[in-house]
Amino acid sequence: ADFAMYESKNNKIKGFRFYEPHQFSNLSDSMDFERAIKRNEFVLHYQPKFKLDSSLHGVEALIRWQLPNGKLLMPDKFIPQVEENGMIHEIGNWIIKTSLIQLRSWLDQGLPPVVMGINISPKQFQQNGWVDLIIECTKSLEIPPELIELEITEGVLMDHNPRTLEMLNRLKMSGIKLSLDDFGTQFSTFSYLRDYAFDILKIDRSFTKDIEKDEKSRIIIESILTLAHRLGLAVTAEGVETEAQLSFLKGMSCEYLQGFYFSKPEAAETITEMLTNYVSSSNGQIGGKL
Ligand code: C2E
Ligand code: MG
Ligand code: MG
Ligand code: MG
């Protein structure tokens, strides 16, 4: 349980309120999220992704909510609610703008270009304003579109909505990369790989996790990699935590690797430092663990 600073809707009563994380939905409605946006309580952390040769490929933007009591709330605790109450559209747009402005800032500082991974919730596909926003931001911030990778889960594709296909095609045509996130956890329908123009397939952490202890997980990963490569897709493995997992994935020519073995999600300033050291390091490699 946590103590969270609680402020009443009319701003007259201030005090503390006691709650369990699962009770959060009871006291949070869209007003709380609106206020959180206004007060700048959301923050993006960035988790690096590496290439096989150990160079930095990019980062994935991951949202956190910095509560007034100092606690950092993880997305699992509030994304389902903002998807439910419709605030995902506003917060999703904030995520798009904030991550792309951050990328622009790194480019302006002369740091090596990295790909910015942005998670898009299936709910965001109910409106198409965010597609316009991304394309607009790409132009106005002069960001090469291939430096943007949208991470989309299969839930989006389930209903075979022609509007979804239209939105994905527009993004694709603008040069933005599309990644199928958490592959293997939901429906893993192969027709999605055939019918949608994904560039990258992201193997879910649940498979990476079992590489050492479970022969079947290894076989599944091998098969996914073979399938993806034959379809011309690159593969990212998420949740790499151990040397053994890494060497298995390297042996399978998995293009991109991400996980606590290399780095946890970090604040923007930490990534800035990482990129700065990258420029000044003689071997041109980050992490040096591969
Ligand atoms: P995801 O997109 O699959 O993100 C990967 C999650 O796995 C992140 O958790 C990350 O911190 C965690 N992770 C990465 N490497 C490792 C590892 O080696 N070991 C372990 N145990 N965990 C690892 P996080 O940040 O809590 O995000 C959870 C989920 O919340 C994300 O899953 C994504 O679905 C959603 N999410 C996060 N940020 C956003 C966002 O900006 N927009 C939307 N729509 N969803 C987001
Ligand atoms: Mg993701
Ligand atoms: Mg994922
Ligand atoms: Mg995942």
Side-chain angles (χ1 to χ4, degrees):
D2 306 285
F3 281 103
M5 178 84 85
Y6 177 77
E7 217 175 327
S8 75
K9 294 265 136 47
N10 58 19
N11 271 338
K12 277 182 190 142
I13 308 159
K14 282 185 184 174
F16 287 95
R17 181 148 171 173
F18 187 69
Y19 69 90
E20 296 283 343
H22 68 265
Q23 291 175 319
F24 209 69
S25 54
N26 301 334
L27 63 114
S28 284
D29 60 22
S30 53
M31 291 286 290
D32 296 289
F33 295 109
E34 208 137 351
R35 203 173 49 200
I37 291 186
K38 284 208 185 80
R39 294 190 182 170
N40 252 320
E41 290 175 12
F42 292 113
V43 57
L44 292 180
H45 282 185
Y46 300 90
Q47 187 178 29
K49 297 177 192 173
F50 294 87
K51 290 187 219 168
L52 274 177
D53 67 0
S54 92
S55 59
L56 186 69
H57 168 64
V59 296
E60 175 178 5
L62 294 159
I63 193 169
R64 280 94 181 81
W65 184 355
Q66 183 77 66
L67 293 172
N69 68 355
K71 188 172 187 229
L72 205 59
L73 207 61
M74 300 310 264
D76 293 339
K77 296 277 186 294
F78 64 89
I79 288 286
Q81 284 159 248
V82 300
E83 285 178 332
E84 189 75 12
N85 68 21
M87 285 298 290
I88 189 65
H89 300 292
E90 194 168 339
I91 295 174
N93 286 347
W94 178 87
I95 293 165
I96 289 167
K97 283 184 235 162
T98 306
S99 59
L100 293 182
I101 289 169
Q102 181 61 64
L103 177 57
R104 182 67 258 166
S105 155
W106 284 328
L107 293 171
D108 284 346
Q109 291 172 63
L111 297 168
V114 285
V115 171
M116 179 61 76
I118 305 173
N119 290 288
I120 305 292
S121 156
K123 289 275 163 24
Q124 284 174 270
F125 280 82
Q126 290 169 353
Q127 297 182 4
N128 53 20
W130 67 272
V131 177
D132 299 317
L133 179 68
I134 288 197
I135 293 173
E136 257 170 51
C137 283
T138 309
K139 286 185 187 141
S140 63
L141 294 169
E142 295 177 41
I143 289 175
E146 65 273 13
L147 289 186
I148 303 173
E149 175 181 328
L150 302 182
E151 301 197 5
I152 296 158
T153 53
E154 289 171 305
V156 174
L157 314 172
M158 252 176 76
D159 59 356
H160 295 276
N161 188 335
R163 286 186 56 213
T164 303
L165 185 61
E166 213 174 283
M167 288 158 91
L168 292 176
N169 282 341
R170 261 189 79 201
L171 292 159
K172 177 86 181 173
M173 298 262 286
S174 74
I176 288 167
K177 302 290 179 202
L178 303 177
S179 163
L180 188 52
D181 200 1
D182 295 341
F183 189 79
T185 50
Q186 290 180 298
F187 318 99
S188 311
T189 308
F190 294 133
S191 67
Y192 297 153
L193 296 178
R194 185 192 59 203
D195 300 339
Y196 297 91
F198 287 100
D199 303 282
I200 297 135
L201 188 156
K202 214 171 168 189
I203 300 179
D204 190 65
R205 180 168 89 230
S206 54
F207 293 107
T208 313
K209 188 166 65 63
D210 292 336
I211 283 176
E212 284 154 81
K213 57 171 188 278
D214 181 18
E215 167 86 37
K216 285 182 182 170
S217 286
R218 288 196 293 274
I219 293 170
I220 290 170
I221 290 188
E222 265 184 62
S223 310
I224 293 175
L225 271 150
T226 305
L227 174 70
H229 287 159
R230 294 214 48 197
L231 289 169
L233 280 80
V235 179
T236 305
E238 60 178 31
V240 180
E241 290 184 354
T242 69
E243 192 101 48
Q245 292 165 354
L246 173 61
S247 69
F248 175 80
L249 290 161
K250 270 183 86 175
M252 297 276 94
S253 302
C254 182
E255 281 81 0
Y256 308 118
L257 305 150
Q258 187 184 24
F260 294 171
Y261 178 81
F262 303 99
S263 172
K264 297 197 168 182
E266 299 283 2
E269 305 78 60
T270 309
I271 303 292
T272 307
E273 267 172 49
M274 205 184 260
L275 289 168
T276 309
N277 294 336
Y278 182 73
V279 172
S280 60
S281 79
S282 50
N283 63 5
Q285 294 190 339
I286 296 183
K289 276 178 177 170
L290 282 178

